[in-house]
């Protein structure tokens, strides 16, 4: 069969950024094809050059970006040779772009409908036709009440709605190629799932081609026909999705796949294997394989000679010296046998006990209201929840943004003040205020923060940062504290000479390691980890998760792990709490979370996460509507406004009971367990065939 | 390591030619201020009656005013005065303003509310009007001008510092310090202050240039430093009546004011860029 000629054809593309008179190569000899109607996923970690590639195709490269070689052909004509005026005809009608952050891409001073109509008029529609068509488009992207949306300004819409508007804008010119740059990264999983559905449906209808840039292997596995893997500005591998996930030929692809926790993967069964080291900096590209320093299969040849882009089969492309051996199964890039991380010994003692904890953030109230003594309105972040953690155990808290999971952690550690309820640490009640807590209490409770870039004071050396908790909380002298620094660094697998470095000289993963070392320095009984890996690249993420688990086992520390990623929580935690609008929906042992019966919200959450495996079959449950306001909370069950299994008045009016299931779960729902068991089937199923959503 | 950073920062000041010029001119004035009495050929109030009203020459570089005083010597000797007055005034305003801004931004609540509303009411008045009101009560003298600079600039510095503190205090490393039981003083000065310093240095330089302006303006209006001090503003005022006969007595001190103000402004600009690069790396 003759393959159709490609719609987009990139050949030997080289792009550099000119910084201070020097050319830093960002992309090196990229060759890639997108056939008509095909969706190509472009995966890579930060610094791989994937966004630069997307922008080069769109001819929207930053001012200091220069194409230093190669061609980009769109439908047979060279895109790079067109003038800006000629591009005007191509933009929107041939090529359209959806950026990562819709909030900055939409004009904040213009109604959404006008922005759409403006684009349509540019494509030649009359005023009335443009207006009618813009409403039609808003309807097509499944926005409820398209008339109201058309009259809204962007800030009046939620992130998910804004991204739908962006997609409508991109589709408005009927482009033949859509370039999407991480369009769902800023969204919550349940919103992401419905935006991905929408994309798949619209693209399928129009038979347009898609170049989808993302770091998320799950999204790629769900959406794309082909996957191209970028590493340090080079194309490592390019293959049909099934082939790539079944048998990756590049060790980097293998490493990526082994780094991502699958839904249901647990530390004590199949530990994650991160990739050691970090992406090389732009300046020091070796004339060798760029991946050699991090590759488990690197041989002498890899250090001496740059591998060529080979074609193992007519469909696949790979840039590795050793692909024939990998393909034949003679060698494997699996990193040996990683020792499974043991589970902590059975409950020793209760470390943290939270009872009826409530966190409200009062809103500034108008002066008049204060005068008439009306009680001020408040954001109800956490509403009377009770939970406990024992030593050596991990309690995972999952929820989307606005669920109150961070407020829960922050009120436990004292960074947010609780409004009522009790928090006990080792049987002693903790005051709500941080300043009222004794040093001993502080030393037993430490925290790892989300963003490693902000976790360390940039003006202090690593040693200075690490000695502070020793001096303040363990009462050591400066000299004694300094002697402990090498041990602390060794515990987080960092060389001792890092002590004299400033945070600016460390990579993101290294900063997070230092932050973890600092949190463990005072010997805490309970560690709070608030999204400890969400700001890190996947290859680094795995190493940090394993480090946390290992340190926890060594020190029998209890851990409260907050994350939005249910796979991460499922990997590390022993017990999992699912939160929604400040309340617990379900409490369950970690191993049971992926098995039915579930709380309807958990069910929706599990079916929204795109699994990084195209062979997992996933049930499709989507949530309608938006998250209700945390100021005026819905009565009855907080989830009733969006629940796919809504029963009727009882859900809207009465607080649901806690129901116990056979496998140790507790579910906060009006539906009796027996009925849930009957109605629900497992969300995820593995059967070796390419995923079709049920 | 810290030293290296400082030199890298200083080197960046000279990358842009305008910033380099500003810095060099400022350093020149600084030398004049320190070595003033060695450089000046005459005393500030020494009257060479025979040479009165003489134009610029090799003997009297900037000419002689109507009272027979050497303008060059007076400009040079006035540098030390203006540096002492505007410089120390700015320093004190920056020290107090920074402390108040740090405290107000970090503590928040009613303390912040009251302080900021009070500062708002001060800032609502034009600086010159506020200065004239204060001088009206205190009486014109060098000390009063100093106080005026301090009072007028405290609210401005405090506001700038507070706004930076508000964004820095929610950073994870500040929260980590709180969780580690660090004292408020340490959090304010070791954790938060360093992040404020780049902005503060730029602001201080700007304040200094405006303080020179304010002091000179007050001198010119006759409500600031009193005669016979070699104050630049005062010199401009004194030369005003005889500008047709001795224009040099007016132009040289006026030129000194603008040159110093411009150089300090360029320096502030350079500092801003130097620090910005530092933050990005």
């Amino acid at each position: 069969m003759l393959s159709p000629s490609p719609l987009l054809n990139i050949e030997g593309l080289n792009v550099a950024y000119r910084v201070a008179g020097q050319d830093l190569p960002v992309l090196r000899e990229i060759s890639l094809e997108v056939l008509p109607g095909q969706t190509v996923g472009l995966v890579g970690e930060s610094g791989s050059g994937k966004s630069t590639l997307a922008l080069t195709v769109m001819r929207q490269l930053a001012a200091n970006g220069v194409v230093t070689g190669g061609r980009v052909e769109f439908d047979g004509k060279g895109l790079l040779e067109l003038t800006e005026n000629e591009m005007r005809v191509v933009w929107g009608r041939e090529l359209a772009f959806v950026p990562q952050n819709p909030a900055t891409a939409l004009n904040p001073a213009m109604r959404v409908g006008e922005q759409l109509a403006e684009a349509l008029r540019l494509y030649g529609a009359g005023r009335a036709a443009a207006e009618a068509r813009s409403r039609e488009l808003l309807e097509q992207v499944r926005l409820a009440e398209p008339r109201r949306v058309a009259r809204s300004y962007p800030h009046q819409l939620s992130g998910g709605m804004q991204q739908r508007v962006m997609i409508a804008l991109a589709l408005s010119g009927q482009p033949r190629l859509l370039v999407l740059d991480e369009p769902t990264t800023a969204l919550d999983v349940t919103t992401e799932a419905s935006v991905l559905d929408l994309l798949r449906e619209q693209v399928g209808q129009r038979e347009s081609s898609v170049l989808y840039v993302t770091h998320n292997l799950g999204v790629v596995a769900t959406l794309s026909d082909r996957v191209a893997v970028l590493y340090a500005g080079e194309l490592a591998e390019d293959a049909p999705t099934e082939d790539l996930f079944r048998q990756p030929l590049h060790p980097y692809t293998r490493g990526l796949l082994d780094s991502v926790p699958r839904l249901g993967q647990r530390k004590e069964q199949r530990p994650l294997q991160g990739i050691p080291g970090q992406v090389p900096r732009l300046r020091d590209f070796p004339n060798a394989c760029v991946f050699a320093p991090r590759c488990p299969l690197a041989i002498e040849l890899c250090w001496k000679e740059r591998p060529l882009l080979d074609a193992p089969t007519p469909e696949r492309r790979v840039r590795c010296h050793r692909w024939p051996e990998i393909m034949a199964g003679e060698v494997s890039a699996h990193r040996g046998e990683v020792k499974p991380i043991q589970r902590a010994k059975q409950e020793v003692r209760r470390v943290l006990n939270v009872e009826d904890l409530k966190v409200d953030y009062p809103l500034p109230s108008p002066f008049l209201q204060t005068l008439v003594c009306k009680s001020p309105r408040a954001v109800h972040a956490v509403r009377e929840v009770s939970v406990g953690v024992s030593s050596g155990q991990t309690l995972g808290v999952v929820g989307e943004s606005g669920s109150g999971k961070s407020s829960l952690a922050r009120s436990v550690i004292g960074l947010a003040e609780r409004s009522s309820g009790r928090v006990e640490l080792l049987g002693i009640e903790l005051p709500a205020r941080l300043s009222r807590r004794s040093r001993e209490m502080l030393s037993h409770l430490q925290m790892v923060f989300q963003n490693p870039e902000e976790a360390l004071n940039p003006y202090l050396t690593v040693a200075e940062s690490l000695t502070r908790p020793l001096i303040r909380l363990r009462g050591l002298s400066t000299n004694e504290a300094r002697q402990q620094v090498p041990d602390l660094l060794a515990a987080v697998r960092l060389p001792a000479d890092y002590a004299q470095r400033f945070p600016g000289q460390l990579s993101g993963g290294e900063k997070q390691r230092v932050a973890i070392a600092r949190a463990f320095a005072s010997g805490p009984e309970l560690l709070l980890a608030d999204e400890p890996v969400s700001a890190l690249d996947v290859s680094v993420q795995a190493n940090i998760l394993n480090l946390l688990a290992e340190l926890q086992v060594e020190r029998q520390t209890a851990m409260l792990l907050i994350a939005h990623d249910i796979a991460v929580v499922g990997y590390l935690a022993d017990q999992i709490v699912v939160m929604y609008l400040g309340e617990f929906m379900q409490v369950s042992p970690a191993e049971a979370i992926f098995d039915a019966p579930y709380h309807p919200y958990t069910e929706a959450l599990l079916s929204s996460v795109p699994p990084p495996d195209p062979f997992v079959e996933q049930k499709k449950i989507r949530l309608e509507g938006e998250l209700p306001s945390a100021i005026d909370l819905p009565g009855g069950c907080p989830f009733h406004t969006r629940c796919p299994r809504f029963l009727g008045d009882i859900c809207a009016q009465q607080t649901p009971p806690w129901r116990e299931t056979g496998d140790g779960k507790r579910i906060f729902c009006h539906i009796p367990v027996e009925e849930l068991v009957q109605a629900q089937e497992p969300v995820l199923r593995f059967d070796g065939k390419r995923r079709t959503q049920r | 390591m810290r030293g290296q950073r400082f030199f890298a920062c200083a080197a960046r000041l000279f990358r842009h030619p305008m910033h380099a010029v500003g810095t060099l001119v400022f350093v020149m004035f600084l030398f004049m201020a320190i070595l003033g009495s060695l450089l000046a050929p005459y005393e500030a109030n020494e009257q060479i009656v025979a040479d009165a009203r003489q134009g610029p020459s090799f003997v009297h570089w900037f000419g002689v005013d109507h009272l027979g005083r050497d303008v060059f010597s007076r400009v040079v000797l006035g540098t030390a005065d203006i540096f002492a007055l505007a410089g120390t005034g700015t320093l004190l305003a920056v020290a107090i303003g920074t402390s108040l801004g740090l405290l107000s931004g970090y503590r928040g609540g009613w303390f912040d509310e009251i302080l900021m509303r009070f500062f708002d009411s001060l800032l609502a008045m034009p600086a010159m009007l506020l200065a004239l009101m204060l001088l009206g009560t205190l009486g014109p003298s060098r000390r009063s001008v100093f106080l005026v600079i301090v009072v007028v600039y405290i609210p401005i510095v405090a506001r700038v510092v507070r706004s930076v503190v508000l964004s820095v205090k929610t950073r994870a490393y500040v929260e980590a310090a709180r969780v580690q039981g660090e004292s408020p003083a340490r959090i304010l000065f070791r954790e938060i202050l360093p992040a404020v310093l780049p902005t503060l240095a730029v602001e201080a330089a700007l304040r200094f240039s405006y303080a020179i302006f304010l002091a000179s303006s007050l001198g010119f209006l006759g409500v600031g430093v009193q005669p016979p001090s070699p104050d630049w503003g005062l010199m401009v005022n004194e030369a005003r009546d005889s500008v047709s006969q001795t224009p040099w007595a007016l132009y040289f001190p006026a030129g000194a004011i603008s040159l110093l103000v411009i150089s300090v402004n360029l320096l502030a600009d350079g500092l801003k860029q130097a620090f910005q690069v530092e933050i990005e790396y």
Side-chain angles (χ1 to χ4, degrees):
Chain A
M1 193 185 82
L2 262 171
S3 63
S5 60
L7 183 65
L8 179 74
N9 189 9
I10 303 173
E11 257 174 57
L13 183 70
N14 286 307
V15 175
Y17 283 126
R18 201 154 274 172
V19 180
Q22 210 187 347
D23 275 0
L24 301 179
V26 204
L27 292 176
R28 302 204 304 165
E29 289 173 45
I30 301 285
S31 294
L32 191 67
E33 284 181 359
V34 182
L35 301 181
Q38 200 179 40
T39 299
V40 173
L42 194 60
V43 227
E45 299 180 281
S46 52
S48 63
K50 57 187 189 302
S51 287
T52 305
L53 182 55
L55 291 174
T56 312
V57 170
M58 284 310 295
R59 286 284 309 274
Q60 300 277 356
L61 213 50
N64 64 339
V66 239
V67 175
T68 48
R71 287 181 60 73
V72 178
E73 268 174 27
F74 181 78
D75 202 14
K77 22 177 221 286
L79 263 189
L80 300 175
E81 291 78 31
L82 296 183
T83 63
E84 178 114 354
N85 262 334
E86 288 166 325
M87 275 310 287
R88 270 176 216 289
V89 189
V90 176
W91 278 324
R93 269 164 280 200
E94 304 274 1
L95 288 173
F97 186 65
V98 177
Q100 176 167 6
N101 190 350
T104 53
L106 290 167
N107 184 344
M110 209 169 157
R111 290 174 203 273
V112 162
E114 287 169 34
Q115 297 190 40
L116 264 171
E118 186 186 41
L120 288 163
R121 281 212 302 280
L122 191 71
Y123 305 143
R127 186 170 286 269
E131 227 157 88
R133 175 91 183 105
S134 71
R135 208 154 305 138
E136 212 176 296
L137 276 167
L138 290 176
E139 220 162 296
Q140 273 175 18
V141 294
R142 297 277 173 73
L143 280 161
E145 303 182 73
R147 273 167 195 283
R148 189 182 63 79
V149 172
R151 282 198 310 271
S152 310
Y153 287 98
H155 74 268
Q156 294 168 316
L157 306 175
S158 69
M161 291 165 88
Q162 286 175 353
Q163 198 55 287
R164 281 164 197 268
V165 171
M166 279 309 299
I167 291 171
L169 256 174
L171 294 175
S172 64
Q174 313 256 0
R176 285 196 285 167
L177 176 69
L178 266 176
V179 179
L180 302 121
D181 189 3
E182 306 256 15
T184 58
T185 306
L187 306 176
D188 271 321
V189 267
T190 54
T191 322
E192 173 181 71
S194 41
V195 170
L196 290 180
D197 286 349
L198 170 75
L199 270 174
R200 193 182 305 117
E201 175 197 299
Q202 293 294 326
V203 166
Q205 271 175 19
R206 287 154 207 261
E207 294 185 352
S208 28
S209 307
V210 175
L211 184 63
Y212 196 106
V213 176
T214 181
H215 70 282
N216 187 330
L217 287 168
V219 171
V220 161
T222 311
L223 214 60
S224 54
D225 305 312
R226 279 186 84 82
V227 181
V229 181
L230 281 189
Y231 178 75
E234 291 194 352
L235 188 71
E237 186 166 5
D238 171 22
T241 309
E242 288 93 341
D243 295 354
L244 187 103
F245 280 89
R246 192 176 286 132
Q247 193 191 24
L249 291 184
H250 198 287
Y252 174 62
T253 317
R254 172 87 270 161
L256 274 186
L257 293 178
D258 288 344
S259 302
V260 199
R262 310 296 166 97
L263 288 171
Q265 185 174 351
R266 300 211 21 92
K267 61 186 173 191
E268 71 268 12
Q269 295 156 352
R270 201 154 62 90
L272 291 174
Q273 305 171 34
I275 307 173
Q278 50 193 296
V279 179
R281 295 177 54 128
L282 292 178
R283 287 157 225 269
D284 25 66
F285 272 132
N287 191 20
C289 174
V290 275
F291 188 59
R294 302 175 75 187
C295 184
L297 297 180
I299 48 174
E300 229 182 305
L301 180 67
C302 303
W303 293 93
K304 278 188 189 150
E305 216 174 279
R306 182 156 174 251
L308 297 172
L309 195 60
D310 280 337
T313 72
E315 297 243 82
R316 305 189 68 160
R317 225 60 52 80
V318 64
R319 197 186 277 279
C320 175
H321 285 301
R322 301 194 70 185
W323 70 261
E325 297 159 79
I326 296 173
M327 200 166 177
E330 289 159 19
V331 290
S332 164
H334 271 303
R335 272 164 212 279
E337 268 307 294
V338 176
K339 200 174 74 200
I341 298 156
Q342 313 148 9
R343 255 182 101 150
K345 285 169 221 131
Q346 277 311 298
E347 309 212 351
V348 188
R349 59 193 167 141
R350 197 78 153 170
V351 174
L352 177 76
N353 215 7
V354 174
E355 265 170 53
D356 299 328
L357 177 78
K358 207 175 154 199
V359 182
D360 290 339
Y361 301 113
L363 292 170
S365 56
F367 183 63
L368 259 178
Q369 265 186 29
T370 322
L371 268 190
V372 296
C373 295
K374 240 175 142 181
S375 63
R377 302 201 316 155
V379 174
H380 306 284
V382 180
R383 295 195 285 163
E384 305 200 349
V385 299
S386 304
V387 77
V389 196
S390 298
S391 62
Q393 300 278 305
T394 301
L395 174 73
V397 181
V398 211
E400 297 182 276
S401 50
S403 64
K405 56 188 192 303
S406 281
S407 295
L408 172 67
R410 292 173 66 83
S411 65
V412 166
I413 198 151
L415 288 170
E417 266 177 54
R418 62 177 184 264
S419 319
S420 64
R422 283 169 69 81
V423 175
E424 278 174 14
L425 186 72
L426 301 168
I428 300 158
E429 183 170 0
L430 290 176
R433 267 212 179 155
L434 192 61
S435 53
R436 298 251 170 84
R437 296 185 180 181
S438 69
R439 264 189 210 182
E440 205 192 340
M441 290 173 183
L442 293 176
S443 71
H444 287 322
L445 202 55
Q446 284 295 310
M447 184 154 172
V448 175
F449 295 86
Q450 174 174 13
N451 187 351
E453 302 306 317
E454 284 194 354
L456 303 173
N457 188 337
Y459 301 93
L460 298 181
T461 60
V462 166
E464 285 171 303
S465 281
L466 289 179
T467 47
R468 288 311 298 176
L470 297 171
I471 296 168
R472 277 304 285 186
L473 298 176
R474 296 235 317 257
L476 301 186
S477 72
T478 311
N479 262 337
E480 287 168 333
R482 232 173 253 150
Q483 281 160 14
Q484 303 252 328
V485 170
D487 288 344
L488 284 172
L489 285 172
V492 293
R493 329 280 187 262
L494 285 178
D497 61 338
Y498 272 45
Q500 290 318 311
R501 297 201 185 184
F502 283 96
Q505 297 161 302
L506 306 181
S507 73
E510 288 168 341
K511 281 180 205 159
Q512 199 63 314
R513 281 171 193 269
V514 175
I516 290 171
R518 180 182 61 187
F520 274 104
S522 63
E525 294 281 346
L526 176 69
L527 183 78
L528 289 101
D530 188 1
E531 300 273 12
V533 294
S534 67
L536 300 172
D537 272 322
V538 273
S539 67
V540 180
Q541 183 177 327
N543 297 328
I544 296 289
L545 287 177
N546 285 344
L547 175 69
L548 277 173
E550 283 160 23
L551 285 172
Q552 181 186 23
V553 173
E554 264 169 45
R555 297 167 194 227
Q556 284 295 301
T557 316
M559 182 152 75
L560 185 62
L561 173 73
I562 312 283
H564 69 280
D565 186 341
I566 202 164
V568 163
V569 172
Y571 175 70
L572 218 55
D574 301 297
Q575 269 235 315
I576 298 179
V577 168
V578 180
M579 269 186 103
Y580 181 81
L581 265 190
E583 287 197 62
F584 290 177
M585 295 288 106
Q586 172 182 319
V587 181
S588 81
E591 19 344 314
I593 188 148
F594 301 101
D595 306 328
Y598 323 90
H599 187 281
Y601 176 63
T602 317
E603 194 184 9
L605 207 55
L606 283 172
S607 82
S608 301
V609 186
D613 183 343
F615 308 112
V616 168
E617 209 175 325
Q618 190 178 31
K619 217 165 114 185
K620 181 169 159 182
I621 300 163
R622 297 292 179 255
L623 295 184
E624 300 286 323
E626 302 290 321
L627 189 75
S629 147
I631 302 167
D632 305 306
L633 288 164
C637 170
F639 188 52
H640 83 256
T641 57
R642 300 172 80 194
C643 185
R645 298 185 185 278
F646 180 63
L647 290 180
D649 286 347
I650 183 171
C651 293
Q653 283 155 12
Q654 286 173 38
T655 309
W658 278 103
R659 299 184 185 274
E660 312 256 338
T661 69
D663 53 1
K665 286 195 196 88
R666 295 197 303 131
I667 296 175
F668 189 62
C669 186
H670 282 295
I671 307 171
V673 174
E674 304 74 55
E675 283 178 35
L676 278 178
V677 171
Q678 272 192 349
Q680 291 173 330
E681 40 182 337
V683 171
L684 301 158
R685 209 182 274 167
F686 181 86
D687 56 9
K689 273 198 279 289
R690 178 74 201 265
R691 168 150 86 241
T692 46
Q693 277 186 325
R694 283 177 283 162
Chain B
M1 213 149 226
R2 272 173 220 277
Q4 271 173 21
R5 275 182 158 198
F6 175 79
F7 281 115
C9 230
R12 259 178 252 123
L13 261 182
F14 287 87
R15 194 175 282 168
H16 196 289
M18 292 304 277
H19 301 156
V21 169
T23 311
L24 288 177
V25 172
F26 175 76
V27 170
M28 181 194 83
F29 273 110
L30 199 64
F31 269 110
M32 267 163 64
I34 297 167
L35 306 172
S37 48
L38 294 176
L39 293 174
Y42 303 94
E43 294 287 311
N45 294 314
E46 192 179 337
Q47 285 178 300
I48 313 128
V49 185
D51 292 350
R53 291 168 215 268
Q54 253 187 28
S57 64
F58 280 110
V59 186
H60 304 290
W61 291 5
F62 289 1
V64 183
D65 71 0
H66 62 288
L67 295 178
R69 295 176 295 190
D70 181 58
V71 177
F72 177 70
S73 304
R74 284 177 68 78
V75 168
V76 169
L77 292 168
T79 318
D81 279 30
I82 201 80
F83 266 79
L85 193 60
T88 49
T90 309
L91 273 184
L92 193 63
V94 164
I96 298 175
T98 303
S99 311
L100 287 177
L102 280 173
L103 213 59
S104 173
Y106 184 65
R107 282 208 41 183
W110 58 266
F111 176 80
D112 179 45
E113 196 71 21
I114 291 174
L115 194 70
M116 283 303 131
R117 290 301 83 77
F118 174 64
F119 283 170
D120 281 348
S121 64
L122 283 182
L123 288 172
M125 271 181 279
M128 185 51 78
L129 198 66
L130 186 65
L132 288 175
M133 272 168 54
L134 279 170
L135 285 172
T137 11
L138 297 168
S141 73
R142 164 177 289 276
R143 210 192 50 186
S144 308
V145 175
F146 175 77
L147 277 178
V148 162
I149 293 172
V150 174
V151 171
V152 170
Y153 291 147
I154 283 176
I156 299 176
V157 174
R159 275 208 158 261
V160 170
V161 170
R162 174 179 173 272
S163 71
V164 183
V165 172
L166 287 185
S167 74
V168 175
K169 80 168 177 181
T170 55
R171 287 194 193 155
Y173 66 82
V174 178
E175 296 194 327
R178 291 176 60 196
V179 168
Q180 281 162 19
E182 300 287 8
S183 65
R186 174 161 169 117
I187 291 178
L188 281 179
F189 292 103
R190 287 292 278 163
E191 307 285 341
I192 296 181
L193 186 61
V196 178
L197 278 181
T199 320
L200 190 62
V202 176
E203 186 60 26
L206 268 183
R207 280 309 120 214
F208 179 53
S209 80
Y210 283 113
I212 295 163
F213 222 72
L214 187 63
S216 306
S217 307
L218 293 173
F220 175 75
L221 292 175
V223 291
V225 178
Q226 292 301 303
S229 306
D231 180 79
W232 294 348
L234 195 60
M235 285 160 75
V236 174
N237 186 19
E238 286 170 348
R240 204 163 42 114
D241 295 331
S242 51
V243 69
S244 51
Q245 293 114 41
T246 54
W248 44 85
L250 187 142
Y251 292 138
F252 282 107
I257 295 173
S258 6
L259 197 60
L260 181 54
V261 169
I262 290 171
S263 74
V264 176
N265 266 306
L266 288 175
L267 176 71
D269 226 38
L271 280 177
K272 186 154 68 182
Q273 285 207 349
F275 280 126
Q276 229 151 35
V277 176
E278 174 77 354
I279 291 160
E280 273 163 24
Y281 271 90

